[in-house]
Amino acid sequence: MLMASSSTFTHFLMVLLFLLAFGSIASLADARAFFIFGDSLVDSGNNNYLTTTARADAPPYGIDYPTRRPTGRFSNGLNIPDLIGQKIGLSESPLPCLSPEFNGKKLLIGANFASAGVGILNDTGVQFVNILRMYRQLELFQEYKRRLSGQVGSRQAHKLVNQALVLITVGGNDFVNNYYLVPYSARSRQYKLPDYVKFLISEYRRLLMRLYKLGARRVLVTGTGPMGCVPAELAMRGTNGGCSEELQRAASLYNPQLVEMLNGLNKKIGKDVFISANTQRMHNDFVRDPRAFGFVTSQIACCGQGPYNGLGLCTQLSNLCPNRALYAFWDPFHPSEKANRLIVEQIMTGSNEYMHPMNLSTIMAMDSRI
């Protein structure tokens, strides 16, 4: 009789633990997941696990991150995915998909597939050798979906992906680290700039349709920033202290065509799947009038060397500003955490001039009613 009672209690306990575990997984799966694709502006550390020079895993990167340690983010602190994640209520940022810690319940939060150095084109960033090119990021997303299905079942996995928020930031490297990488580059000999932009847009369209077919239904797509005005370009290509005219021309051609392409995709699909973030305008606000946003400069990087601290890499031997919040740019190419916060505020609440056809707060409110 005692043995039977003990066995019954053990069975009851096992069932209870299973139900608790399942309930925990279900509640996590009901929360909105977040997936990130793209380049160094949104990479949270995938390149730490790759043999590449495009990495940010050494000080002073991460000097203002909560752990005060480098994480692989190309920032002094939090990057754009971290800040968006906070805004949409995530308890933690999605892990890099290559992280050994990326398993179990972490899969339900989402995943970061971004890799510094990549572009829309596969030949962009060849000098960085081993990086996750966009086709590979989408392959890893497929692999992730299979892992997720094994954990929560295919129906719940499909629902999680469909209801997730997706951020994709790519395109700048196709100019900086491809077309304009060297004089008379292969792509610049193949295409005049207007034709190259059209080619990029057509290739990007294919990537985005692939992402849609993989289940993405709310996709934030950022344009390029003012590429010619970052400290690296001021140092290498700037004229009389001004921005690089060629790169600014490239941005002015590319960004409107990107918005037009996204509008076309939404019209074809019949829903506002793709949301355009005018990051060029967001950056331009504080590039043109840094003091209005609390910066002392939008030309000189906090960490670097040479003119504008714009040459080479940010290392422990570089010049380093004492107060990162006063600088719009952290290193020769990447915004500071404070600048990232300004960008994310516009993503959340910006007018139609910044976010088209709607901002992220509007999206969240609409989707909460579904």
Side-chain angles (χ1 to χ4, degrees), residues 12-28 105:
F12 170 77
L13 187 62
M14 289 176 67
V15 170
L16 180 62
L17 288 171
F18 173 79
L19 289 172
L20 287 171
F22 183 81
S24 176
I25 287 173
S27 64
L28 273 168
K105 292 181 182 179

Side-chain angles (χ1 to χ4, degrees), residues 136 144 228 313:
R136 181 58 182 150
Y144 159 84
L313 303 171

Side-chain angles (χ1 to χ4, degrees), residues 318-334:
S318 299
N319 302 319
L320 180 65
C321 68
N323 187 348
R324 275 70 65 184
L326 297 179
Y327 286 71
F329 286 94
W330 156 244
D331 70 9
F333 285 104
H334 303 97

Side-chain angles (χ1 to χ4, degrees), residues 176 223-231 233-234 243-244 247-252 255 278-288 298 329 332-333 335 343:
V176 173
T224 70
M227 297 181 291
C229 299
V230 300
E233 300 306 330
L234 292 176
C243 303
S244 163
L247 277 165
Q248 288 298 89
R249 178 171 170 249
S252 68
N255 287 315
N278 188 344
T279 42
Q280 182 178 20
R281 180 159 188 158
M282 295 174 193
H283 278 87
N284 274 338
D285 286 347
F286 54 76
V287 165
R288 289 170 178 164
S298 61
F329 286 94
F333 285 104
I343 292 165

